[in-house]
Every structure is written in structure tokens, then in C-alpha cells.
Amino acid sequence: MFCWGDIMGKIININDNWKFHYGDTTEADYMGYNDDAWQNVTLPHDWSVSFPFDKSNASGTGYLPGGTGWYRKHFFLPDDIEGKRVRLNFDGVYKHSRVYVNSHHIGGRASGYSPFTFDISEFIRAGENVISVRVEHEQVADSRWFTGSGIYRDVTLEITEMSCFAENSIFVTTKEINGTDAVITVEYSTIDCDETELIIETKDGLHITATEGKNCGTAELAVKNASLWSPDSPYLYILRCHAFKDGKPTDAVSVPFGIRTIRFDADKGFFLNDINMKLKGVCVHHDAGSLGAAVPKEIWARRLRKFKESGCNALRTAHNPPCNTLLDLCDELGLLVMDEAFDEWEGTKNKWWQGHNVYPPKKYGYAEDFPLWHKADLEAMILRDRNHPSVILWSIGNEIDYPNDPYVTPLFDEVLGNNDNGKPKNERMYDNRKPDASRLTTIAKELVEIAHNVDTTRPVLSALSFPELSTRTGFADVLDVSGYNYRERFYEEDHKRFPDRVIFGSENGHDVPAWHAVRDNEYICGQFLWTGIDFLGECVGWPKRISQAGMLDLCGYEKPLFFIRKAMWSDEPFVKIAVSEGEADKTNVWTDNFIYSADEGTIIQVSCYTNRPEAEIFLNGTSLGKKKCENYKAKWEIPFTKGTLTAVVDGAEDYLSTPEKAEKISLTADRTEFNKNNNIIHVEVEIKDKNGNTAATDDKEIYYQLLGDTEILGIENGNPADLTPYSEKYRKTFRGRAIVYIRAGTVHDKITLFAYTKDGLNEQITFSRK
């Protein structure tokens, strides 16, 4: 039974102790249905990753299945619950959910990404209650990336008196900053309250209070010596909101917020707190490999910290509303966010199922639901996310204008998009029987208006794949900001054509010229790399199951792409050695790796990624000379000789040694203590040789066992072609490494992870309750 003292504004996480059944079943909506035989699960939960990879599934979604599943949650409420308002909040269910409370069908949601809430006050009772949720994801070729299946985000109950704040009704903005002082505006709305109290709380205990004698309105609060939110100093205040009825408190809501201003200028770019800065962004999809779409906050935190190490200061939520915990982390760590709503509108895009760009595609997706749901879904995203200081842009769509997918225009007889290798000629030609691209202007205008009606403090954009068309149809004209995907060549021309228009890179490649187009043009405020980290799906074809576009691999380990980006985006001196086997003109950052091994005498390329002007390398202590850096890299061509390469730049050095046979397993955890609120543990796994180097050429299949009240959430190695089912408790290392995700339970004070191979390597690590 839930227990609480003051019921006012109580939010209860109900992720624990759900029942799950894969497959459809009759009468599971009935409160009295016997679910004893169902699987016990903890949310977030993604059932797709519990199944084997199968070629019969879709390449676009990572060869993992969907299907239909049911969830049930039994919970108890106290006798005094009568007369209280109870809201049931889902942060995301993929997809086509139907929700029942105590046998009553209370509604559902088509989108798999939108947050949604039901007022269930009428249906709950003292004593036992049951929530039943049916989730339908039968067509797995419904996306261009992995989606997951199930209740893969948090679920909460919110309990108040009947007189309370309206749902998502509190909106905090920075009205102005004058010197060291700021004025904060708070919009609020209540249900049948007659007084509100608003208190801004600082970390050092100061309070600024405003009392309003009405049930809705706008209040202003002055903050002296304000600490401004920024990527370098992400200071968060807390707004405490109290509602009253007849002098009695009935609700309390706490809203973290940051004091900051944003401004986009067509000539000067982006300004945060009146300071000009470039957006150094990455795009991310929402999965974490073996965890699927059910990604705990701690896993996101590790990823975001690594992004920041590269010099990254911004994130794009490609191409859907993110989980709320991701935005909380962006607030806390200091990352600016482009919050994106849709990947398609009325027209269904091609969905690859036999390999990327292998025709024919399938045609399922959100377009089926867009006409009925777009307003509710866009409003839900903005209402939930508008108090996050990290969010600076609302994106209403990604590559909606992609040529011939499905929209066409008589302005171009034949056209190829940025990702159309091998596209048949008939698919490239204008066909007046397909939807006309002029329709996009009408839809965009409506979506921009919906966004402005909810929030006027942030600009609205769409990420355009075909600006040479969309600047002529009126599509770009109705946007506040124009994002260009891989269209750097139009920056200068379109800045001259549209001198009052803000243009920047909303999706970009990792190449150096794409960054220089931002660095060297004051009017281009930034770019967003495709992508920050590898992800499931959008793969070239079986047996590859992931996209390798990230600067981090699927484990979250740094790739050479990470270090060339760090050279572009960061100032602290560093150098990183990478190597490729082959001739210079056939090797690059995509072929580079961190394995110094080859046949003796083989020609290899040695690259030093650095933000210093020159680098020197040594082979077994002997200098091979200094070289000037070009495009953030110095490069040598040498015959391979076993030993150690050392790179030296002013202020930093790095080394890379020839790996030998694996002799031990190394387990490194991000924590050795856990508690109820900090129970997710990352264990980085490496196999090492006798010299302590990663044995990257002697990969081992490692088996894992746990002792104590705990569970392995997932094991990942980042290998794009490893088809070992994620449900197994073993996995081969990839280039000498893997990662294990653990969730500690609530019973035992100590838990131990054992790792071993069948040829005699073994290691263990123990964790203690704090």
C-alpha cells in the first residue's frame, strides 16, 4: 500500500512490480483477471530486445520484432483516497496503447513517443486497484530507426485534492535580465482554487515569494544577483507553487528552471544570455543497444558527459519527443536542446526492411495517425518540455520535404535526396499522381501556430532536406528558423536571398568542411552531427543490425570520430593516436581504429588527432619526426613494427601498443555503492594482455553471473554484426571491450558480478549498499 503524510501534490513513481504478457489475450482488461502466470517486470520495459534478431523483421528497426503485449499493475490506495484527484501519467508507450483502470477503458494514445495523462479520480477506489495496458506494435517496418515496444518510459500517479493546479499549467520564463538582476514570469492555472503562492528557492536557501489571490493568472518575481543558466554553469532554481481553497492548502508543485535568455539573429547567429556562441550539437536516437528503448537516466548521463568532453554543447532529439529524464539531464549538465516532434506528417516515408535503400520499401508509420493526433501530440511535447531551460528550439519535422518521399514538385523533373544511393530512376522522377510539395506549407503553418499558441519564447523550425525546393514553395517562409540538413553549399546563397532569415545546420556530416562552414560564417549559428552515438536500426542489411554513424559506439566508447570532433570543438590540449592499414588515399577517420597490429612490414597510416598545430610520434622511443596538422590531424605512413607508438603535442601525449594474447578480464564500475535511488551500475569490461593493454585482437566470449538481489539489464559490445540475442547472459568482446548494465535490488546489502571465459579467464566485482 502506498503511504504518505501530506497528500498535497504527491507524485508516486509506479515503475515497480508490473505484470507482462507477450501476445494478445481476452479479458486482460478485466480487473479480476488472473495474471499470476505473467512475467514480472520493472518499468521502463522494452519487450523487443528480449527476442532474437531475425532477418524476417525489418532492417530499419534493427531486425527485432514488435507484436502485441499486455501490462497490468496491482496497487493499493488508503481509505482517505475518496474525494482526491488522481492522475495517471505515461511518459511514452510504443505504441497504439489502450489503458484500463479497474475494468474501465479510459483512453489510449496512438503515438509511441508522446506523454499522456488521464484523470482517473472517478475510477479508483480505496484498497486494491488495477491498471491494464494493451500495447500494439504489429508492423515493425513502421520507422526508419529502432523504436522498441512496450511501456518503455516512466509511469507515475499524481495525487492532490480536487482543487489543484491544472495539468502542465505552470510556465516559467525569464522576462528580462538587467545586469545582475532578473525578472521571472510565472503563468499558472488552477482548478477551483482561490489563492496561490509562488516561491523561488535558491541553492543557498533564499526565498522570493509572490502571493496571488486568484485561481489563474501571471505573476512576476524579481531575482537579485541572479545566477544564469548556461552550458558552462547550468544553475537551476526551484519554483515552489502552492494552491489553496478556502484558506487550506490543496496542491503543491515544484518546477526546476533556469534563468536565461535566447536570441537568434540572421546575421550574427545565436546568443545565450546576450553572449554569442556556436551550437556544437549532435543528433541522438533514443535506444541504448541491449537496453532497447528502455534507457535509465544513468545511462543517458554517461553518454551526455562524454558528449560534453568532445566540446559538444547541444543535442537534437531525432526525430521524436524524448523521455523527460533526458531533458532533466540536459538541464543539469548544461546541454542546449532542439526538441523534435515528428519525422513524417501526412505522407508516409519509405521504410526499409530488406536493407537500406533496398526497394521496394514498406509504407507504415506515424502518417497513419498524424491527421487525428498531430495537434494533441505537438501540444503535449511543448507543454511538458517548456520549463526546461535547456530547450531552445521546437522542431516540427525532420526532412518532411525529402524529394519524392512522397512529396513531389513540377519545379524539378528529376531529383535525388542526400541518402538516395541506388534509387531507381522511376522513383527519382516527377509524378503528378504523388502528393504535391505545396501541401507542406499549409501543414507547417498550422503546426507553427499550434506551437506559438503554447509557447512564444522559442522559435519553431523544421529540418529541411530540400531547401532548394522549400525556399520556393513557401514552406521555409512560415518557419521562424530554417534548419538545413547536409546543405552547407546553400548557406551563402540563401543568406543573400533571405537576409532576414536564420539558417543553420540541423543535421550534418562529420566532415571538416561542414564544420568550417559554421566556424567561418558568423550568420550560421551551429550544426548538429549525424550522430552522437551509434543506434539500432537504419542498417545496410543483414547481418548488420545497427547504424555506425555515431562518434561513440553502441557501448558509449569513443571512436576516432569522437577525437577529430574534440579537436574541432575543444581548447584543452590533447592528442589521440589511431591507425589504418592501407594506402593513404584509401584511409580516413572512418577506417581508423585503435588497434596497432598488422603483419610485420605492412604499410599502415598513423593519425594523430589533436587541437595543437603540430605533433611528433615515436616508435619504440625513436622519433619519426614532427608534422604540421591539417584539418586537425597529422599523418604518417610507416611499415608496421611491433611495439609502442607515442604521440606528443604541446601539453599532451598518447600511446598505442601492439596487443598480445588475452590474459585477464578487467571489470571497471562507475560506482561500487548503490541505494534505492542510485541502483543502475555500468561495468566496463576489457580483456587485457600481460602488459595491461587492451587485447583487441584476441576477443573472448565472456559469461556473466550475479550473486544477490540484482539483475543484468543488458550486455553490449557495439559490434554491428553480432547477432547474439540480447536476452543471453554472455557476449563476445568487440575489439577487446564490452559493457554490462546492472540494476541492484532492494534486499541484499552486497551483490557480486562474476565474469568468466570457457578457457579459464575470470574476474569478479562486488558492490555494497550505501
Side-chain angles (χ1 to χ4, degrees), residues 221-278:
L221 295 89
V223 180
K224 300 293 185 182
N225 298 314
S227 297
L228 304 187
W229 186 95
S230 71
D232 292 332
S233 181
Y235 188 94
L236 293 174
Y237 291 85
I238 302 292
L239 177 68
R240 309 285 187 189
C241 306
H242 301 279
F244 301 85
K245 175 69 173 179
D246 299 329
K248 296 180 180 180
T250 60
D251 195 7
V253 176
S254 295
V255 181
F257 73 97
I259 297 176
R260 59 103 177 106
T261 60
I262 60 171
R263 175 165 56 91
F264 288 85
D265 184 277
D267 291 319
K268 301 294 184 181
F270 173 68
F271 293 79
L272 179 70
N273 302 325
D274 265 344
I275 298 173
N276 186 247
M277 65 187 297
K278 296 291 189 181

Side-chain angles (χ1 to χ4, degrees), residues 351-369:
K351 305 300 189 312
W352 307 116
W353 57 287
Q354 302 175 96
H356 195 64
N357 282 355
V358 178
Y359 282 79
K362 292 189 176 181
K363 292 283 188 176
Y364 303 105
Y366 181 73
E368 304 165 19
D369 303 308

